[in-house]
Amino acid sequence: MDGAGREELDMEVMKPLIDEQNSDGLSDEEHENVILPVEKHYQLGNGGGITFTQTLTHLLKGNIGTGLLGLPLAIKNAGIVIGPISLVFIGVISVHCMHILVRCSHCLCQRMKKSSLGYSDTVSYAMEVGPLTALQKRASWGRYIVDFFLVITQLGFCSVYVVFLAENVKQVHEGFLENKTAPINVSVTSSPSEKRSTDLRIYMLCFLPFLILLVFIRDLKTLSMLSLLANLSMAVSLVIIYQYIVRDIIDPRKLPPVVGWKKYPLFFGTAIFAFEGIGVVLPLENRMKDTTRFPQALNIGMGIVMTLYISLATLGYLRFGDEIKGSITLNLPQDIWLYQSVKLLYSFGIFVTYSIQYYVPAEILIPAVTSKVEQKWQLLTELVVRALLVCSTCAVAVLIPRLDLVISFVGAVSSSTLALILPPLVEILTFYKENLSLWTVFKDIFIAVIGVVGFLTGTYVTVEEIIYPASTVLANATESISADVNATSAAVDLQ
């Protein structure tokens, strides 16, 4: 498959299905003739579907992003013992929920005589066939709920990307300036307050016009070569990160095995954010040549993802300890250009990926706006809406300029809903007539409760950290005072 064809597939796979929102009341044959804009532009060139290897590749790409780089800090918020164990637990539950979604989709396809169903239609039809009359009458709400959280999730990803780009480029830029001026001021000792530093928000605003121009490219297939380069750059970056963190690992006994419960919700938000790929499951399964092998592909792909997550998260925390930051790239040395290049390479990959994540909310929201204006104003209206959506993601990043908190907030609010809360409830609604075992009902309720508790506690703790960051500020101030006192004492001793 050539680069353009591969990218055409990527754009279809990287987004969860923009489900058949206008399919109500249509027969299956009529539905096949009513194709949404996203499907018109990104249908597969051949009707044969995708292979097992391609499915595996897209599963990996759909799950690996900025969340991976934030997992070492998540381990810090849970503890060196409870963190990896909890990560395995959340990973197993997330994969199980993916399998649930596929089973329910198959069952509902047979009942409704549909060729395939996306996430939002699966939820909607599950409500329609469920036992409660109140849910049956409001079945269309299921579609709106999924689309709402889908928009929040994808725009949240974009906000995370803005913070990630700003923090990494800021560090590279300041590292360059320090190295450039160091030979000149080698005999001058400067205090931390004298170091040149530009506000992080300035870097975010500098990226804003470039991101707007990027999303003005409405046909994402034109980004095929850039996307291929982005994937390669992120892969190379991960290899370099691994070879650095395996050196000089801290003795695990020096790190806390368990951290207080107040920090654990932050771990949950970051962990569930990392398992962001549930939305790509049904699009992949629907397009696979041999759908009977999809469960095997899902298990293998998510097994690789979980291995990558747990190893990088644990090794990253063992390498940097309490100094770990919101993204492990920010802990890499600033005076060695190999590691500075990692930040630039990964930032390039994230910059290109922004347009892919942005595409989903754009395809949901923009048609609803442009349909209300005259034909001659539709293009201008679309461009304005695209620019405003980008500005909204940048505004969130400016208001919450901490990468770890943005990741945790998005994970707790929307990722937990899509990945943990909805799938088990859909299973109960779909199969209640088939005499579900008491164990299955208990299991589904247990998973949904975990999702709800994570949603509430994760959101509360994250919002509290955003509004009252006094503890963090105090800790940083204390470290700064201690450093100044140590420096002064050293200077006195030398004299």
Side-chain angles (χ1 to χ4, degrees):
M1 184 179 290
D2 59 14
R6 186 183 299 109
E7 183 59 20
E8 178 177 329
L9 197 57
D10 291 347
M11 300 314 163
E12 186 69 18
V13 165
M14 286 298 290
K15 62 171 185 60
L17 276 180
I18 309 298
D19 301 295
E20 300 83 354
Q21 298 172 35
N22 300 320
S23 62
D24 292 343
L26 296 178
S27 67
D28 207 32
E29 292 181 359
E30 288 173 323
H31 165 69
E32 290 176 359
N33 295 326
V34 179
I35 303 177
L36 292 178
V38 62
E39 293 170 330
K40 285 180 181 176
H41 291 300
Y42 301 111
Q43 285 182 338
L44 294 178
N46 55 1
I50 58 177
T51 65
F52 182 89
T53 304
Q54 289 170 337
T55 302
L56 200 58
T57 302
H58 293 305
L59 270 173
L60 296 176
K61 290 177 64 177
N63 281 274
I64 297 174
T66 52
L68 168 65
L69 302 179
L71 286 176
L73 180 60
I75 298 295
K76 176 187 174 183
N77 289 326
I80 191 61
V81 174
I82 199 69
I85 294 173
S86 298
L87 200 56
V88 173
F89 180 69
I90 291 176
V92 170
I93 291 180
S94 297
V95 175
H96 178 66
C97 287
M98 293 177 184
H99 283 289
I100 288 176
L101 202 57
V102 172
R103 281 185 60 228
C104 293
S105 176
H106 284 174
C107 180
L108 292 169
C109 279
Q110 293 175 358
R111 290 192 198 178
M112 300 297 171
K113 295 181 171 55
K114 299 288 184 180
S115 57
S116 63
L117 291 176
Y119 196 163
S120 64
D121 272 345
T122 299
V123 174
S124 180
Y125 285 128
M127 293 173 66
E128 186 176 320
V129 303
L132 301 177
T133 305
L135 291 181
Q136 293 172 1
K137 292 179 179 179
R138 297 169 177 81
S140 60
W141 288 17
R143 184 178 293 107
Y144 300 138
I145 290 171
V146 173
D147 285 342
F148 171 77
F149 282 106
L150 185 57
V151 168
I152 296 298
T153 300
Q154 300 302 119
L155 290 180
F157 289 163
C158 291
S159 296
V160 169
Y161 291 172
V162 173
V163 181
F164 180 89
L165 288 168
E167 286 198 334
N168 281 271
V169 172
K170 178 178 187 289
Q171 201 176 76
V172 172
H173 181 231
E174 292 182 351
F176 171 75
L177 292 178
E178 287 181 12
N179 293 334
K180 185 177 180 181
T181 57
I184 301 174
N185 301 326
V186 67
S187 60
V188 180
T189 304
S190 59
S191 65
S193 60
E194 294 174 342
K195 290 183 180 180
R196 186 182 304 179
S197 180
T198 306
D199 193 298
L200 184 65
R201 297 172 179 87
I202 301 298
Y203 288 89
M204 296 179 187
L205 294 176
C206 289
F207 273 108
L208 182 58
F210 297 102
L211 291 171
I212 291 175
L213 291 175
L214 181 68
V215 302
F216 278 176
I217 303 175
R218 295 183 294 165
D219 185 1
L220 294 180
K221 287 182 288 185
T222 58
L223 292 173
S224 59
M225 186 53 66
L226 278 179
S227 182
L228 179 60
L229 292 174
N231 295 333
L232 290 175
S233 66
M234 292 168 74
V236 170
S237 298
L238 286 176
V239 171
I240 297 175
I241 290 171
Y242 266 103
Q243 67 85 25
Y244 181 77
I245 63 176
V246 294
R247 299 180 292 177
D248 301 326
I249 290 178
I250 299 175
D251 185 350
R253 291 172 293 183
K254 295 181 179 180
L255 298 173
V258 181
V259 179
W261 65 269
K262 288 186 177 180
K263 287 288 185 181
Y264 192 83
L266 294 175
F267 161 83
F268 176 86
T270 305
I272 200 62
F273 176 94
F275 288 98
E276 61 193 48
I278 191 168
V280 307
V281 169
L282 290 181
L284 278 172
E285 198 267 346
N286 291 336
R287 286 161 180 76
M288 196 172 178
K289 287 180 180 178
D290 183 6
T291 56
T292 59
R293 298 191 66 193
F294 182 76
Q296 180 186 0
L298 182 59
N299 289 332
I300 294 174
M302 294 309 297
I304 295 172
V305 168
M306 287 177 60
T307 302
L308 187 64
Y309 281 3
I310 295 165
S311 61
L312 185 68
T314 307
L315 290 173
Y317 183 42
L318 287 173
R319 174 65 178 83
F320 298 110
D322 290 337
E323 300 299 320
I324 191 68
K325 297 181 180 178
S327 170
I328 195 172
T329 55
L330 300 174
N331 287 97
L332 298 177
Q334 290 184 253
D335 55 349
I336 301 176
W337 271 105
L338 173 64
Y339 302 115
Q340 292 287 68
S341 67
V342 167
K343 301 167 190 176
L344 294 177
L345 286 172
Y346 216 98
S347 295
F348 170 72
I350 292 300
F351 178 78
V352 175
T353 307
Y354 181 100
S355 63
I356 302 173
Q357 300 289 5
Y358 174 92
Y359 183 77
V360 183
E363 283 300 313
I364 292 175
L365 298 176
I366 289 175
V369 177
T370 55
S371 62
K372 297 179 180 179
V373 300
E374 297 180 13
Q375 181 70 32
K376 63 179 181 179
W377 298 109
Q378 284 189 355
L379 178 59
L380 177 61
T381 303
E382 178 178 344
L383 295 178
V384 170
V385 173
R386 285 178 176 272
L388 289 176
L389 284 176
V390 175
C391 291
S392 70
T393 64
C394 188
V396 171
V398 168
L399 292 172
I400 315 173
R402 279 184 56 185
L403 186 63
D404 57 328
L405 293 185
V406 181
I407 289 176
S408 184
F409 181 74
V410 175
V413 171
S414 51
S415 297
S416 60
T417 303
L418 294 174
L420 297 182
I421 299 175
L422 291 180
L425 298 181
V426 167
E427 182 176 38
I428 293 175
L429 293 174
T430 303
F431 296 106
Y432 84 99
K433 290 182 180 179
E434 301 182 13
N435 297 321
L436 281 175
S437 66
L438 186 62
W439 158 249
T440 302
V441 175
F442 174 79
K443 177 261 298 180
D444 286 340
I445 293 175
F446 176 70
I447 294 174
V449 167
I450 290 176
V452 172
V453 171
F455 176 101
L456 296 176
T457 58
T459 303
Y460 174 79
V461 172
T462 305
V463 171
E464 186 180 42
E465 285 276 336
I466 293 170
I467 299 175
Y468 304 110
S471 58
T472 304
V473 173
L474 182 62
N476 292 340
T478 304
E479 291 175 5
S480 177
I481 292 171
S482 300
D484 290 344
V485 170
N486 292 337
T488 303
S489 299
V492 170
D493 292 341
L494 287 174
Q495 290 176 352

